[in-house]
């Protein structure tokens, strides 16, 4: 099963203090660890940007946080996550600011809705989560925060 924490560790895909001027740059920065690890093809962020331009930023799940993703056929090789925290938020077309991006690569809609989203919901239900992630300076701090989330309500193994 796709575990948020395990995926972040295995893919070395937690990046803190990253810079992006635009939301498009933020998507590219957020997808880079997944490209580097081989989880997605190089054009995956291009597909996310095209989808965002067509449908809007439907993946902004709460103030400050987005879960950019594209369809499995848009270059997903295996299920994976990246977690990127920007030094300064970027503004999307709807005026919403985002500083935390959890990019999802899902090989099927079942992974997306049944496994990935519930884990992210569990983490982002934690109090002051955006502020805590923004203030983290080390990968281990992020992993400790994820450990606080109660995944049992969302995952049946």
């Amino acid at each position: 099963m796709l575990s948020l924490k395990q995926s972040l560790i295995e893919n070395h895909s937690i990046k803190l203090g990253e810079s992006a001027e635009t939301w498009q740059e933020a998507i590219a920065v957020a997808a880079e660890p997944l490209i580097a690890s081989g989880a997605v093809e190089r054009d995956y962020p291009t597909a996310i940007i095209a989808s965002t331009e067509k449908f809007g930023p439907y993946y902004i799940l709460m103030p400050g946080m987005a879960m950019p993703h594209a369809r499995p056929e848009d270059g997903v090789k295996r299920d994976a996550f990246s977690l990127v925290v920007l030094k300064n938020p970027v503004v999307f077309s709807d005026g919403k600011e985002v500083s935390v991006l959890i990019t999802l690569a899902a090989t099927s809609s079942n992974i997306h809705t049944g496994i990935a989203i519930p884990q992210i919901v569990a983490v982002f239900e934690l109090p002051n989560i955006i502020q805590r992630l923004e203030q983290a300076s080390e990968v281990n701090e992020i992993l400790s925060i994820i450990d606080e989330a109660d995944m049992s309500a969302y995952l049946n193994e």
Side-chain angles (χ1 to χ4, degrees), residues 72-90:
E73 60 269 22
D74 289 329
V76 176
K77 296 182 186 173
R78 61 181 158 76
D79 299 315
F81 291 103
S82 72
L83 189 155
V84 171
V85 180
L86 301 174
K87 274 188 261 192
N88 299 302
V90 293

Side-chain angles (χ1 to χ4, degrees), residues 38-49:
V40 299
E41 292 172 8
R42 184 143 295 288
D43 58 355
Y44 189 65
T46 306
I48 296 171
I49 291 167

Side-chain angles (χ1 to χ4, degrees), residues 10-60:
E10 289 171 5
N11 291 290
H12 305 286
S13 55
I14 297 174
K15 302 291 179 197
L16 306 175
E18 295 290 312
S19 295
E21 295 297 316
T22 64
W23 67 264
Q24 293 92 334
E25 277 183 38
I27 298 294
V29 167
E32 189 55 42
L34 297 179
I35 295 168
S37 73
V40 299
E41 292 172 8
R42 184 143 295 288
D43 58 355
Y44 189 65
T46 306
I48 296 171
I49 291 167
S51 177
T52 307
E53 288 170 345
K54 185 173 182 180
F55 300 111
Y58 54 90
Y59 47 72
I60 295 178

